[in-house]
Amino acid sequence: MKKHLSRVLPLYVLLLLFTIFATSDATIRRRDYTVPTVYPELLKPLTPITTKDPQDIYINLVLSYTDLAPDGYTRKVWTANGQYPGPLIHCNRGDRLIINVTNNFEDPTTIHWHGIFQLGSNWYDGVGGQTQCPLLPGSSFIYNYTVGDQVGTYWWHSHYLAQYVDGLRGPLIINDPDDPYLGQYDYEYVLTLEDWYHQLAEDLVAMRLAPGYQDFNPVPDSGLISGRGRYNCSRADSGAKCDPYNMPAIYTVTKGKKYRFRIINMSAEAFFWFSIDEHELMVIEVDGVAVQPIKLSVLPIHIGQRFSVIVDASQDIGNYWIRADIPFDCIISSPGTINHDSDFFENNNITGILQYDGAPNDTYPQSKKNNDAWSNNIFPCQDLDISLIKPYVPVAPPQKVTDRFNISVTLGPDKKNTTKAYINGQSWAPDLTNPSIMKIMEEGISAKSFPINSNAYMYDTEGGAVEIVIYNDNGAEHPFHLHGHNFFIMGMDSSGHPDVSKYNFIDPALRDTITLPGSGWAVIRYMINNPGVWAFHCHIEWHVELGMVFQLIEMQSKIQELKMPPSVEALCKPGYQNTKRLPIPSAYPDDGETTITPGGFALYNPREGSTKVKRTNKRNIEFTTNHKARNSRRMI
Ligand SMILES: *[C@@H]1O[C@H](CO)[C@@H](O)[C@H](O)[C@H]1NC(C)=O
Ligand SMILES: *[C@@H]1O[C@H](CO)[C@@H](O)[C@H](O)[C@H]1NC(C)=O
Ligand SMILES: *[C@@H]1O[C@H](CO)[C@@H](O)[C@H](O)[C@H]1NC(C)=O
Ligand SMILES: *[C@@H]1O[C@H](CO)[C@@H](O)[C@H](O)[C@H]1NC(C)=O
Ligand SMILES: *[C@@H]1O[C@H](CO)[C@@H](O)[C@H](O)[C@H]1NC(C)=O
Ligand SMILES: *[C@@H]1O[C@H](CO)[C@@H](O)[C@H](O)[C@H]1NC(C)=O
Ligand SMILES: *[C@@H]1O[C@H](CO)[C@@H](O)[C@H](O)[C@H]1NC(C)=O
Ligand SMILES: *[C@@H]1O[C@H](CO)[C@@H](O)[C@H](O)[C@H]1NC(C)=O
Ligand SMILES: [Cu+2]
């Protein structure tokens, strides 16, 4: 793997460039903007929720294109209510969210509520091709679900093609009236981390899927903290609107107070090391689960992961850098990689500011970066050491397993030499006009007869437990996110093979996103208690588009007993709300391969005048795992 040239430049050159960039104008410039600024409310403390009883919370998300300049460079952004990041959804445990989404884009959409289990409401999970038909342009649809007993830090995002990379993503916070840490902080902040691209995601995907095998993902143009970052405008195209002095995210604190920061990694690709100069981070929540405190100077976060940390504003009154460093080790490129000459390689370390009340508001911080000696076992591109993550209330994992699956994951060229991702040798392709849930609930089709490229795995043992062994046959890391559940991590490693004698049967980490180490493996378990069609996929958006997705069909017989709301059924009917149907895919090609048009739609040789699915791939597949893809590695 050939890495980018700038990786071999001596570090001091980079340091010099960075120093010049960060300090050449030591005054924070405040100026009028020609485009709306990004979502300023996100930088304010959360308003505490005082109601105790469960509420119905009504939210309107009106989706439209808006010109915004998150990193100073103005581009068309896929927004909700004109904002980027999207509006914060904030509720209490037990509340019902009634979210009216109106699609004023020119492309279809679906919205997924990342980490929400959707117990009994699978059809609101927002996965096109699995749990619903997409909302067509000009239509609206209400997602209506309770958050149940879940609490913590979540986010929502488009699950339609790569749309979330263009901006359709925002935080979702569920307060816990009985949070064990309530007394230990005074205020709460939400902080999001994102990578940012100047080209439209659909164009990047089209390039990624162009013939000619490519091992690497597009390189971002910049990184953002809470929707704000910086760009070296001398690299922008002539004629582009670009402000090199874009305001960073500034979080204000009062000396002597304590702050809970809810940190969400909403990236498409980037892995971050998060830190606040001269302040310790005390981790108290991981992916919605309260944990025993973990004290860190630097926190690793992968896409889709969330952490809450308590920060004690106990230092001298002043300004301190908030840092989200993207290590070069985790962004690999070659001269053939899309956007390989990105400015990102000179400005990979993204900053915001922690500003104490009373500190000067017109100069940049002069604070010192936390040194490594202070940090725990952290490695570039890898998750926080699972042995450090102990649920606040330890929960034992299922001791016995009823349904086991072996899954191997890799990337490679297909017959046409286009890059594809494979789950047990098969790329996933969504059936957007006849999603799995419709097949099961409306047509009574068993997942056993699903097309092979639906990558469906089923189990129907009520009260049982699933174990999934995932092997990474690819050298890069893949952050896998499971819908409908969180899971116990029984074991994981970057080498060797699973060894049941080394599993943690006592108090394993419980999360909903796990980063598979390059060429490594992980073993997860969870209880079978939520009937539905649940996606399990790599959260690197480019890999989703290449097919690194499978679906778990949980208790099919119970799904069939549930009643799907008519509004969900209606989405799949032609002419829904008088919408004009776009050429979204209507059938699979015979070879099960996907092609993506520059318009961003997955097209499977759509047949003229027909919206019926032609099931040419109807054949029974072994759900106990096709292990051929892994014959290069022997398991114990
Ligand atoms: C950026 O962050 C990485 C990781 O923390 C660090 O190794 C590197 O020195 C930083 N680069 C600059 C220019 O500060
Ligand atoms: C901005 O980009 C220009 C053109 O590539 C380069 O000469 C300059 O050094 C860059 N500035 C910074 C601060 O990276
Ligand atoms: C949802 O929002 C749209 C657009 O604002 C509106 O036309 C529609 O009536 C709303 N639906 C409901 C049920 O309120
Ligand atoms: C939301 O769902 C609940 C429970 O099914 C139902 O009582 C309520 O009428 C729904 N509300 C809307 C606006 O659809
Ligand atoms: C596949 O594409 C890569 C990259 O363009 C090229 O180097 C390689 O020769 C191609 N292989 C085949 C079999 O066409
Ligand atoms: C966000 O997630 C991506 C993908 O897993 C990862 O590469 C990136 O490092 C994460 N960012 C942070 C701050 O951890
Ligand atoms: C900066 O600080 C000065 C002095 O405390 C204050 O008058 C001014 O309003 C502040 N400006 C901003 C933008 O916060
Ligand atoms: C998973 O792989 C292991 C090792 O090859 C094998 O013993 C086991 O039977 C497989 N399990 C399933 C469900 O295929
Ligand atoms: Cu991946």
Side-chain angles (χ1 to χ4, degrees):
M1 284 187 192
K2 218 170 135 215
K3 307 210 171 168
H4 190 274
L5 188 66
S6 60
R7 292 201 51 212
V8 297
L9 281 179
L11 198 63
Y12 64 82
V13 175
L14 289 173
L15 208 62
L16 191 70
L17 283 170
F18 180 77
T19 313
I20 293 167
F21 189 48
T23 56
S24 61
D25 184 342
T27 305
I28 295 180
R29 301 199 20 182
R30 295 177 194 275
R31 43 184 7 220
D32 293 329
Y33 291 86
T34 49
V35 290
T37 49
V38 291
Y39 198 10
E41 288 76 20
L42 196 55
L43 303 178
K44 295 182 183 147
L46 283 181
T47 311
I49 298 179
T50 49
T51 50
K52 279 263 177 193
D53 295 334
Q55 308 279 312
D56 284 353
I57 298 186
Y58 290 84
I59 296 152
N60 282 306
L61 296 179
V62 179
L63 314 183
S64 67
Y65 305 127
T66 311
D67 281 348
L68 291 175
D71 62 356
Y73 176 96
T74 303
R75 58 155 280 182
K76 172 176 161 187
V77 179
W78 271 243
T79 62
N81 304 350
Q83 292 169 197
Y84 181 76
L88 167 73
I89 296 176
H90 187 198
C91 67
N92 237 347
R93 188 179 62 206
D95 286 351
R96 175 175 290 279
L97 299 176
I98 300 161
I99 305 163
N100 182 2
V101 179
T102 301
N103 182 6
N104 290 338
F105 296 146
E106 283 158 20
D107 41 353
T109 195
T110 66
I111 295 188
H112 169 60
W113 320 92
H114 183 116
I116 304 296
F117 296 158
Q118 299 293 358
L119 192 64
S121 53
N122 185 218
W123 40 81
Y124 292 129
D125 197 41
V127 185
Q130 295 186 10
T131 64
Q132 70 166 100
C133 289
L135 274 81
L136 294 173
S139 64
S140 59
F141 176 74
I142 295 178
Y143 290 89
N144 173 359
Y145 56 87
T146 130
V147 299
D149 287 335
Q150 289 190 269
V151 295
T153 309
Y154 302 87
W155 58 302
W156 57 267
H157 59 84
S158 164
H159 219 292
Y160 185 75
L161 304 184
Q163 210 173 48
Y164 92 76
V165 182
D166 285 320
L168 193 55
R169 50 187 170 190
L172 192 168
I173 309 296
I174 310 171
N175 271 93
D176 180 3
D178 305 315
D179 191 307
Y181 289 105
L182 267 189
Q184 296 192 33
Y185 55 87
D186 300 288
Y187 298 97
E188 271 179 66
Y189 276 125
V190 175
L191 185 149
T192 62
L193 303 169
E194 306 112 76
D195 45 15
W196 191 246
Y197 303 78
H198 292 171
Q199 279 167 291
L200 302 186
E202 67 187 45
D203 295 339
L204 292 170
V205 168
M207 285 187 264
R208 186 77 172 88
L209 287 170
Y213 178 66
Q214 286 185 6
D215 212 2
F216 308 126
N217 294 318
V219 177
D221 289 294
S222 63
L224 309 175
I225 293 181
S226 299
R228 288 159 193 258
R230 279 208 164 177
Y231 186 65
N232 177 351
C233 288
S234 65
R235 312 196 44 147
D237 315 334
S238 61
K241 275 194 225 162
C242 190
D243 176 0
Y245 301 107
N246 196 41
M247 286 296 288
I250 300 177
Y251 286 90
T252 56
V253 296
T254 302
K255 187 174 164 74
K257 300 285 186 198
K258 288 184 176 169
Y259 296 81
R260 176 184 191 145
F261 278 84
R262 296 177 178 270
I263 306 166
I264 311 173
N265 182 353
M266 307 198 300
S267 285
E269 152 89 11
F271 168 94
F272 297 90
W273 276 342
F274 180 85
S275 64
I276 302 178
D277 284 3
E278 299 170 45
H279 289 76
E280 187 177 62
L281 308 173
M282 185 169 93
V283 178
I284 57 167
E285 178 213 336
V286 178
D287 290 359
V289 179
V291 296
Q292 308 280 352
I294 311 166
K295 293 185 175 175
L296 296 174
S297 60
V298 180
L299 174 69
I301 313 187
H302 242 288
I303 303 169
Q305 296 185 336
R306 292 94 59 204
F307 290 93
S308 278
V309 300
I310 294 178
V311 175
D312 188 354
S314 60
Q315 300 304 305
D316 292 342
I317 287 175
N319 293 312
Y320 298 85
W321 288 119
I322 296 174
R323 297 180 196 265
D325 293 346
I326 303 189
F328 285 143
D329 291 312
C330 314
I331 300 273
I332 308 170
S333 77
S334 69
T337 302
I338 302 161
N339 207 21
H340 72 276
D341 59 350
S342 168
D343 180 53
F344 191 76
F345 286 106
E346 263 112 56
N347 296 296
N348 60 313
N349 293 345
I350 302 127
T351 47
I353 298 173
L354 186 77
Q355 183 174 70
Y356 278 63
D357 283 343
N361 62 10
D362 58 355
T363 53
Y364 284 116
Q366 306 294 320
S367 56
K368 281 193 222 57
K369 188 164 178 165
N370 298 343
N371 67 46
D372 291 344
W374 192 15
S375 57
N376 302 54
N377 303 332
I378 61 163
F379 303 98
C381 335
Q382 291 188 22
D383 276 354
L384 183 61
D385 183 351
I386 49 170
S387 69
L388 295 172
I389 303 176
K390 296 285 168 218
Y392 192 82
V393 181
V395 189
Q399 307 286 309
K400 286 215 176 76
V401 169
T402 55
D403 296 82
R404 265 198 180 83
F405 302 94
N406 292 333
I407 299 291
S408 74
V409 172
T410 197
L411 291 165
D414 69 2
K415 280 177 275 173
K416 296 172 199 143
N417 201 25
T418 293
T419 314
K420 285 285 172 63
Y422 305 92
I423 299 287
N424 288 340
Q426 178 64 52
S427 275
W428 177 73
D431 190 350
L432 290 171
T433 54
N434 192 12
S436 307
I437 197 166
M438 294 296 286
K439 292 191 176 92
I440 294 168
M441 295 186 73
E442 307 284 296
E443 298 173 42
I445 298 173
S446 166
K448 282 192 174 133
S449 318
F450 280 10
I452 190 156
N453 59 6
S454 68
N455 280 354
Y457 293 81
M458 66 184 293
Y459 47 87
D460 213 339
T461 323
E462 191 173 2
V466 174
E467 178 176 276
I468 303 178
V469 180
I470 321 177
Y471 278 97
N472 186 355
D473 284 346
N474 178 250
E477 293 72 27
H478 299 282
F480 266 80
H481 169 54
L482 175 63
H483 294 209
H485 290 275
N486 51 17
F487 46 74
F488 296 96
I489 303 173
M490 306 303 292
M492 69 189 283
D493 205 345
S494 53
S495 61
H497 304 280
D499 177 353
V500 70
S501 70
K502 296 199 180 119
Y503 290 0
N504 182 343
F505 283 100
I506 317 285
D507 58 354
L510 185 58
R511 4 188 13 170
D512 60 32
T513 308
I514 182 173
T515 305
L516 276 186
S519 307
W521 56 269
V523 180
I524 65 160
R525 287 188 183 183
Y526 59 90
M527 301 295 294
I528 301 174
N529 54 16
N530 190 6
V533 171
W534 304 117
F536 200 1
H537 63 96
C538 175
H539 219 296
I540 294 180
E541 190 47 40
W542 316 117
H543 294 170
V544 171
E545 297 307 312
L546 301 181
M548 200 179 274
V549 177
F550 60 112
Q551 49 184 324
L552 295 152
I553 315 296
E554 180 162 338
M555 288 193 278
Q556 180 172 287
S557 49
K558 281 275 175 313
I559 301 174
Q560 280 161 342
E561 288 169 16
L562 299 172
K563 176 90 190 76
M564 182 186 284
S567 60
V568 181
E569 292 170 344
L571 279 178
C572 295
K573 293 187 179 142
Y576 172 70
Q577 292 182 8
N578 300 318
T579 49
K580 206 166 135 256
R581 222 155 241 284
L582 284 177
I584 58 174
S586 55
Y588 290 101
D590 297 351
D591 65 358
E593 280 177 359
T594 319
T595 53
I596 302 279
T597 64
F601 305 124
L603 287 176
Y604 312 99
N605 311 328
R607 284 159 239 278
E608 274 182 24
S610 160
T611 50
K612 273 259 172 294
V613 175
K614 195 179 160 209
R615 274 187 209 84
T616 42
N617 276 312
K618 198 166 176 178
R619 59 167 148 140
N620 286 352
I621 34 177
E622 280 294 322
F623 285 94
T624 47
T625 291
N626 151 14
H627 206 62
K628 280 191 211 108
R630 279 201 49 80
N631 54 13
S632 60
R633 190 205 306 252
R634 226 166 274 117
M635 288 175 64
I636 24 163

